[in-house]
Amino acid sequence: NYRDLYSEPPPPGLVPSCAEGGVLGILPGVVATLQATEVIKVLLKLGDVASGRLIIYDALKMVFRQLKVRKHGGYEIKELIDYKEFCGIPQQEASNNEEAEIKEITVHEYKTLRQDGQEHQLIDVREPHEDDIVNIAGSELKPLNTIQQYFDELDKSQKYIVHCKMGGRSAKAVRQMQAAGFTDVTNLIGGITKWVEEVDPSLPSY
């Protein structure tokens, strides 16, 4: 049971979305094949089923490891989280309407805005460990899962540019700020990834 490894899922926004985090395309296929093999073994009552073990596959080193997993009691799954929200996958009907409400700016447009000296505040909604790797000069780190705590400290009439790694978390932050009454909030398309690729390649990427 996955809850034997992690008793509570992290709140939405604490981890990068599936699109931002990324995965080597072949890995799900490898894992799915292993899972299918286990199902066949269970149905045919063959071999040593991997129940009670966590199989870890390191594709870069071509190494498999196994860890024993104990069943933990004391928790009860009362409801499932909204996995579409958790993984940063907006529902199709809502996405079209929500996208229309969000102002966006490209990295080149934002570069011009900075060069022109237009007054604004750049908010970075990534996690501290991401900020340790790379950041855009002048940005203020306010992780998505805590950003609402800062709303009372921010001037709602000021101009804000919001960014994350690729634009998913920052879009959520923009919607939250708009709902809280901020009048001029813009999402940086492509986030810091696009900024590094197209504006400042001297910065590290991840």
Side-chain angles (χ1 to χ4, degrees):
N1 185 306
Y2 198 66
R3 291 291 173 92
D4 292 326
L5 286 175
Y6 303 100
S7 58
E8 294 290 337
L14 183 60
V15 294
S17 70
C18 301
E20 291 174 315
V23 64
L24 182 63
I26 195 64
L27 287 179
V30 173
V31 174
T33 301
L34 295 173
Q35 291 175 323
T37 302
E38 290 301 299
V39 171
I40 292 173
K41 287 161 57 180
V42 170
L43 293 175
L44 299 180
K45 298 180 181 180
L46 295 174
D48 183 11
V49 178
S51 180
R53 289 178 285 161
L54 173 65
I55 312 297
I56 301 174
Y57 171 47
D58 187 334
L60 294 179
K61 298 179 181 178
M62 190 51 71
V63 171
F64 286 87
R65 290 191 295 147
Q66 297 186 45
L67 301 175
K68 290 185 177 180
V69 179
R70 292 183 178 181
K71 181 177 177 59
H72 294 288
Y75 64 83
E76 180 183 359
I77 301 176
K78 297 181 179 179
E79 61 180 357
L80 297 178
I81 66 171
D82 185 338
Y83 283 96
K84 288 187 176 181
E85 178 187 4
F86 177 74
C87 291
I89 305 173
Q91 295 185 14
Q92 192 62 38
E93 286 187 7
S95 65
N96 293 334
N97 294 332
E98 290 173 349
E99 289 298 329
E101 298 173 0
I102 292 180
K103 291 199 299 183
E104 295 182 321
I105 187 171
T106 68
V107 291
H108 294 287
E109 291 170 338
Y110 180 56
K111 178 184 177 182
T112 300
L113 183 150
R114 289 168 67 98
Q115 291 174 337
D116 292 345
Q118 295 185 37
E119 185 176 348
H120 71 285
Q121 182 173 340
L122 178 62
I123 295 180
D124 180 352
V125 296
R126 298 175 302 150
E127 293 300 306
H129 69 273
E130 296 176 276
D131 179 69
D132 289 341
I133 298 172
V134 60
N135 57 71
I136 300 175
S139 63
E140 295 189 17
L141 184 65
K142 301 184 188 303
L144 177 61
N145 64 311
T146 62
I147 192 170
Q148 294 186 13
Q149 300 175 11
Y150 300 98
F151 284 176
D152 291 338
E153 305 171 9
L154 300 175
D155 182 355
K156 292 185 177 180
S157 64
Q158 185 174 339
K159 181 180 185 66
Y160 294 93
I161 308 295
V162 186
H163 88 84
C164 60
K165 183 180 181 183
M166 295 177 65
R169 283 172 286 174
S170 53
K172 291 182 181 180
V174 168
R175 292 190 181 97
Q176 291 181 20
M177 293 178 72
Q178 289 177 332
F182 290 83
T183 58
D184 192 353
V185 191
T186 303
N187 185 36
L188 182 64
I189 300 173
I192 197 168
T193 298
K194 278 291 184 184
W195 181 263
V196 172
E197 289 177 354
E198 301 185 10
V199 177
D200 191 354
S202 67
L203 295 175
S205 60
Y206 68 103

